[in-house]
Amino acid sequence: QNEITFGYTDGKNYLSCTDASSCVNAVQLLFDNTALRQRMMQENYLYYQQYLQPELVMKNIIDAMLGNV
């Protein structure tokens, strides 16, 4: 299972949904609120740069396997 366990925050990187109605509301909020949408896009870009680039992921896997964590 793939999980993001650090630095990924509701309201900063994503809008959580508990059912279809709350998901529709979250999407509508992003359509209506340009500033929120742009801020979340920027936060997710930074998150990718810090944690999810393939080179970083592979380095973290290798470090974990070698006990360098």
Side-chain angles (χ1 to χ4, degrees):
Q1 179 179 4
N2 296 327
E3 291 185 18
I4 298 174
T5 58
F6 51 90
Y8 211 66
T9 308
D10 186 9
K12 178 179 174 183
N13 302 96
Y14 67 95
L15 299 175
S16 63
C17 303
T18 56
D19 57 27
S21 178
S22 65
C23 185
V24 168
N25 291 337
V27 170
Q28 188 64 53
L29 177 61
L30 290 173
F31 273 114
D32 294 342
N33 190 329
T34 302
L36 174 63
R37 185 175 65 249
Q38 290 176 340
R39 186 172 63 248
M40 290 179 84
M41 290 170 64
Q42 179 65 25
E43 290 293 337
N44 287 314
Y45 174 78
L46 293 173
Y47 190 89
Y48 173 83
Q49 294 296 318
Q50 292 175 333
Y51 302 109
L52 299 178
Q53 289 189 62
E55 298 85 6
L56 294 173
V57 172
M58 290 305 297
K59 179 188 178 307
N60 290 338
I61 290 169
I62 292 168
D63 285 347
M65 291 175 65
L66 296 175
N68 297 333
V69 178

